[in-house]
Amino acid sequence: MQILNTIAELRAQVAAWRRAGERVAFVPTMGNLHPGHIRLVERAREQAPRTVASIFVNPMQFGANEDYAGYPRTLENDGRQLEAVGLDLLFAPPLAEIYPRPLEQMTQVAVPELSAILCGASRPGHFNGVTTVVSKLFNQVQPDVAVFGEKDWQQLLIIRRMVADLDIPVEIVGVPIVREADGLAMSSRNGYLSAQERAIAPKLYATLQATVERLQEGERDYAVLEAEAKTRLAAAGFRPDYFEIRGSDDLQRPTAETQAVSALRIFAAAWLGRARLIDNLAVMPN
Ligand code: PAF
């Protein structure tokens, strides 16, 4: 596996593969890899003979009071995992390679509306940071396919919208959430949990499952279901951020007239200590 740090070196290697007629699949990450990321790389390897992953902790997607400085940077260990799974190229640029000028002077890419709800409402500017860095990485890597995890379902939809709106010729592939044995969605931020919080954390998924069951049984008062779920999370020790039932493909609020219940997905974000956990669950399995 090659490890490259500059856009020029990355472009030269990808251009050589292209001259040889090889397709390229790409997995953008912020590192501190876990089995969920490794699953993304495995899926990328199924998509194309050449695979590139990036590790870049993107300051533009962190709010002023968020965990950018403390976000775990574990490049050596990440590199070992990526090599073991058969990745061809790890792109690990320094900050100045991606943002040669102060962030506030850099051009931004923004997807309106979808970026303003759910996580976007709690983390203003977060998705502009994501779409800006992902569009830059797409221009740098020029992949045929890019792979994203479905834990960040809203992010996945926003990237799909960006690619469609800007005519970016990259196919976007989503990969189902990888969970721990007790149901907790794998996340780099799970490492922030104390032993006591880790024991509580699976209740986020359990609450999503309980709400799905109520919907499948015929309950249609979405506001009541959401309020009940937040009460249940608070009782378990979480500080709920949002718990919302929305259209899976458009993130719109459902109404009885506009939405079949089968097309709904439930989205949750909740704080446990200093970890903000997110998860989502479709009402009908795919
Ligand atoms: O999902 C992530 O890890 C990040 O948001 C991404 C897509 C790598 C952009 O920084």
Side-chain angles (χ1 to χ4, degrees), residues 28-30 37 54 56 58 61 71 126 130 133-134 137 148 152 155:
T29 83
M30 297 205 300
H37 292 111
S54 61
F56 178 68
N58 173 34
Q61 70 188 75
Y71 198 85
H126 166 67
V130 171
V133 84
V134 170
L137 289 164
F148 292 82
D152 298 287
Q155 169 175 278

Side-chain angles (χ1 to χ4, degrees), residues 74-111:
T74 53
L75 189 60
E76 251 178 58
N77 187 36
D78 293 345
R80 277 195 290 274
Q81 293 188 62
L82 292 170
E83 177 138 46
V85 73
L87 185 82
D88 293 299
L89 194 166
L90 169 59
F91 180 48
L95 184 63
E97 189 73 5
I98 301 294
Y99 298 120
R101 283 176 286 109
L103 290 190
E104 58 280 9
Q105 292 175 13
M106 296 291 302
T107 301
Q108 291 205 7
V109 176
V111 173

Side-chain angles (χ1 to χ4, degrees), residues 13-136:
Q13 178 57 83
V14 173
W17 288 336
R18 292 209 169 285
R19 278 195 299 277
E22 292 177 315
R23 275 164 55 87
V24 177
F26 174 49
V27 181
T29 83
M30 297 205 300
N32 192 28
L33 304 182
H34 54 68
H37 292 111
I38 300 309
R39 183 73 201 94
L40 302 184
V41 178
E42 287 167 350
R43 176 58 71 84
R45 294 194 71 216
E46 292 161 14
Q47 302 288 321
R50 293 296 183 180
T51 47
V52 178
S54 61
I55 294 184
F56 178 68
V57 184
N58 173 34
M60 198 185 272
Q61 70 188 75
F62 288 79
N65 300 319
E66 293 184 354
D67 55 343
Y68 173 67
Y71 198 85
R73 282 136 172 107
T74 53
L75 189 60
E76 251 178 58
N77 187 36
D78 293 345
R80 277 195 290 274
Q81 293 188 62
L82 292 170
E83 177 138 46
V85 73
L87 185 82
D88 293 299
L89 194 166
L90 169 59
F91 180 48
L95 184 63
E97 189 73 5
I98 301 294
Y99 298 120
R101 283 176 286 109
L103 290 190
E104 58 280 9
Q105 292 175 13
M106 296 291 302
T107 301
Q108 291 205 7
V109 176
V111 173
E113 297 186 356
L114 284 182
S115 295
I117 55 177
L118 299 172
C119 284
S122 315
R123 305 181 66 192
H126 166 67
F127 286 117
N128 289 4
V130 171
T131 43
T132 299
V133 84
V134 170
S135 56
K136 284 170 69 66

Side-chain angles (χ1 to χ4, degrees), residues 25-279:
F26 174 49
V27 181
T29 83
M30 297 205 300
N32 192 28
L33 304 182
H34 54 68
H37 292 111
I38 300 309
R39 183 73 201 94
L40 302 184
V41 178
E42 287 167 350
R43 176 58 71 84
R45 294 194 71 216
E46 292 161 14
Q47 302 288 321
R50 293 296 183 180
T51 47
V52 178
S54 61
I55 294 184
F56 178 68
V57 184
N58 173 34
M60 198 185 272
Q61 70 188 75
F62 288 79
N65 300 319
E66 293 184 354
D67 55 343
Y68 173 67
Y71 198 85
R73 282 136 172 107
T74 53
L75 189 60
E76 251 178 58
N77 187 36
D78 293 345
R80 277 195 290 274
Q81 293 188 62
L82 292 170
E83 177 138 46
V85 73
L87 185 82
D88 293 299
L89 194 166
L90 169 59
F91 180 48
L95 184 63
E97 189 73 5
I98 301 294
Y99 298 120
R101 283 176 286 109
L103 290 190
E104 58 280 9
Q105 292 175 13
M106 296 291 302
T107 301
Q108 291 205 7
V109 176
V111 173
E113 297 186 356
L114 284 182
S115 295
I117 55 177
L118 299 172
C119 284
S122 315
R123 305 181 66 192
H126 166 67
F127 286 117
N128 289 4
V130 171
T131 43
T132 299
V133 84
V134 170
S135 56
K136 284 170 69 66
L137 289 164
F138 282 180
N139 284 329
Q140 292 157 6
V141 178
Q142 304 206 339
D144 299 282
V145 183
V147 182
F148 292 82
E150 291 184 355
K151 182 170 76 68
D152 298 287
W153 184 269
Q154 184 180 9
Q155 169 175 278
L156 177 63
L157 290 193
I158 289 170
I159 300 292
R160 284 192 202 283
R161 176 72 61 83
M162 174 186 84
V163 161
D165 286 357
L166 298 182
D167 308 304
I168 299 175
V170 178
E171 182 194 340
I172 305 298
V173 172
V175 174
I177 297 173
V178 178
R179 298 184 181 279
E180 303 283 358
D182 59 11
L184 176 64
M186 290 196 183
S187 163
S188 299
R189 290 188 169 100
N190 292 349
Y192 295 162
L193 298 168
S194 67
Q196 196 192 356
E197 289 159 356
R198 177 62 188 81
I200 297 171
K203 294 190 174 148
L204 187 60
Y205 180 51
T207 305
L208 288 168
Q209 286 177 307
T211 308
V212 161
E213 275 166 31
R214 297 283 305 281
L215 285 162
Q216 287 172 347
E217 285 159 12
E219 176 61 61
R220 290 294 176 271
D221 193 331
Y222 303 125
V224 164
L225 288 175
E226 291 170 357
E228 278 178 9
K230 283 199 252 188
T231 303
R232 179 179 166 150
L233 289 172
F238 289 90
R239 208 153 35 85
D241 178 350
Y242 62 74
F243 192 100
E244 295 188 19
I245 301 165
R246 288 187 176 250
S248 192
D249 293 337
D250 60 8
L251 301 186
Q252 292 305 299
R253 289 271 192 199
T255 66
E257 301 77 47
T258 59
Q259 201 103 48
V261 74
S262 58
L264 300 179
R265 183 173 288 267
I266 312 177
F267 298 88
W271 288 91
L272 202 48
R274 69 184 187 101
R276 182 175 177 278
L277 305 180
I278 62 171
D279 202 346

